[in-house]
Amino acid sequence: MSIILIAIIAATILFSYKGFNDLLFFRKYEFHIGSIRAGEQIRMISSGFLHADWGHLFFNMFTLYMFAPVVINYFGSFSFLLIYMASLVFGSLLTLLMHKNDYNYRAIGASGAVTGILYSAILIDPSMSLYLFFIPIPIPAYLFGIGYLLYSIYGMKAKNDNIGHTAHFGGAIGGYLITIIKEPTMLVDNTAMVLLLAIPIVILFVMTKMGKL
């Protein structure tokens, strides 16, 4: 396993654990529009290392563990780190853009960065599949990815937690664009998957334009 992947997972677990037990620490580093607009831009990155609870943390790190090796084996560890961190930043930027006037908006989670890696891995290997604990048959990874983003739309509409659902889309866009830029032949070789993965992203922007989010 890549040292960089181990480092990211370890840092996220430690940072999240600290946040579970220290509310002041959690509040200091979570994504918070008012604080970011007041100059605390570090929150746009640090929030990606905080989680709501152990379940939220496990789901994100398990998803990262499943898909990161595909990106690392194809692009190398440095490019994997680039895609991960860029997706985290893309997620935070989109969240800031969509909620810029909601000074009380808060969010946490590595979901944006993880979704970027998920999208990158699916573009690299469109035929990949995975097993989920409650489903006894392999699920095509692209269905998981698309379903993940559609669930994020529901989370954005419901607004019943402080998980960074908007960041999922920013992260997906980051992973999607950087992967295609690094390997533009995918536009020809994997045209169907490139278009398919764009569907939930397009849905998001259409709903935003229509004022549905």
Side-chain angles (χ1 to χ4, degrees), residues 70-137:
V70 176
V71 180
I72 293 169
N73 291 336
Y74 192 84
F75 284 133
S77 292
F78 178 78
S79 290
F80 158 73
L81 179 62
L82 170 65
I83 294 171
Y84 187 86
M85 294 306 297
S87 297
L88 172 57
V89 172
F90 265 78
S92 292
L93 286 173
L94 182 63
T95 305
L96 183 62
L97 177 65
M98 293 187 67
H99 299 278
K100 62 181 180 295
N101 295 319
D102 183 358
Y103 282 73
N104 292 318
Y105 182 88
R106 303 173 185 271
I108 36 83
S111 305
V114 173
T115 308
I117 295 299
L118 169 66
Y119 254 52
S120 180
I122 296 170
L123 286 171
I124 290 168
D125 184 4
S127 64
M128 71 185 300
S129 59
L130 68 157
Y131 286 89
L132 300 178
F133 299 116
F134 48 87
I135 301 177
I137 58 174

Side-chain angles (χ1 to χ4, degrees), residues 47-66:
S47 58
F49 292 86
L50 289 172
H51 287 80
D53 51 44
W54 284 110
H56 183 209
L57 173 63
F58 174 79
F59 180 78
N60 274 338
M61 293 302 96
F62 176 75
T63 304
L64 179 62
Y65 176 80
M66 292 292 292

Side-chain angles (χ1 to χ4, degrees), residues 102-180:
D102 183 358
Y103 282 73
N104 292 318
Y105 182 88
R106 303 173 185 271
I108 36 83
S111 305
V114 173
T115 308
I117 295 299
L118 169 66
Y119 254 52
S120 180
I122 296 170
L123 286 171
I124 290 168
D125 184 4
S127 64
M128 71 185 300
S129 59
L130 68 157
Y131 286 89
L132 300 178
F133 299 116
F134 48 87
I135 301 177
I137 58 174
I139 302 298
Y142 69 87
L143 289 181
F144 178 80
I146 292 172
Y148 191 52
L149 288 193
L150 292 178
Y151 166 73
S152 297
I153 291 179
Y154 164 78
M156 290 165 67
K157 287 180 65 66
K159 298 178 181 178
N160 56 7
D161 55 40
N162 69 335
I163 294 172
H165 295 289
T166 307
H168 297 178
F169 280 92
I173 293 168
Y176 182 86
L177 291 178
I178 295 172
T179 300
I180 292 174

Side-chain angles (χ1 to χ4, degrees), residues 25-40:
F25 179 87
F26 186 91
R27 291 301 183 205
K28 182 178 180 180
Y29 292 109
E30 68 179 346
F31 187 99
H32 179 244
I33 294 291
S35 298
I36 291 170
R37 294 197 63 175
E40 298 180 23

